[in-house]
Amino acid sequence: MNTQAVAADSARAPIASSLASPSPATLDDSGKLLLRVAIGVLVLLHGIFKISAGVGFVSAMLAKAGLPGGLAYLVYVGEIVAPVLMIAGFWTRAAAGVVVINMLAAFGLVHMADLFALTKQGGWALELQGLYLFGALAVVLLGAGRFSLGGLRGRWN
């Protein structure tokens, strides 16, 4: 028997076995990656739109609520900076917390009338906003996992 072939097979064995049956920790970290990237990308797309369209409507909503219109620029932090940090997995819990605050502000300023409304199909009228809010809250609680720039033991991960 060729000893080089045996050595090569034994070197590949741990890789093959981990791919065939991933550990619970690998599945856990993969789920965290999927959740934070999905929520991050979806919120980021709203932020990219606001860069091109401006935050005038947000400023108007703030003024209507008696708040300074200049606070509207914080939407860029909640919809651009925080999602990018979530996607990268750097300061993930803090970034997801900013998205949670951003979504609570959106609920308070824009969506209160629909808070208990249902669609014609029987779904919650705020399904999308609820997904962003509760998905980001889950990232706050779970952290980024090891597939992130912050790593498994990162302070905010």
Side-chain angles (χ1 to χ4, degrees):
M1 180 175 235
N2 186 346
T3 56
Q4 288 177 339
V6 171
D9 285 343
S10 64
R12 283 191 290 259
I15 296 170
S17 67
S18 68
L19 292 176
S21 124
S23 71
T26 299
L27 292 174
D28 185 56
D29 289 325
S30 298
K32 290 174 182 179
L33 172 68
L34 180 62
L35 178 64
R36 71 180 163 77
V37 169
I39 297 297
V41 168
L42 292 172
V43 172
L44 180 62
L45 292 173
H46 284 272
I48 291 170
F49 170 77
K50 286 185 180 82
I51 287 176
S52 62
V55 292
F57 71 96
V58 177
S59 182
M61 290 279 187
L62 287 166
K64 185 177 174 183
L67 297 168
L71 290 176
Y73 290 95
L74 291 176
V75 78
Y76 291 133
V77 174
E79 293 186 8
I80 303 264
V81 177
V84 167
L85 290 171
M86 282 177 59
I87 292 165
F90 190 68
W91 290 350
T92 308
R93 290 180 194 265
V98 169
V99 172
V100 167
I101 292 167
N102 192 60
M103 290 312 304
L104 289 172
F107 270 80
L109 292 172
V110 181
H111 302 293
M112 284 305 287
D114 295 325
L115 193 58
F116 299 106
L118 298 177
T119 64
K120 292 178 186 175
Q121 296 80 22
W124 187 27
L126 302 177
E127 287 175 340
L128 183 63
Q129 296 82 0
L131 175 66
Y132 294 161
L133 171 66
F134 295 114
L137 186 58
V139 173
V140 168
L141 297 173
L142 294 170
R146 69 179 169 171
F147 302 131
S148 64
L149 287 181
L152 186 61
R153 302 282 184 230
R155 179 181 173 145
W156 295 101
N157 291 334

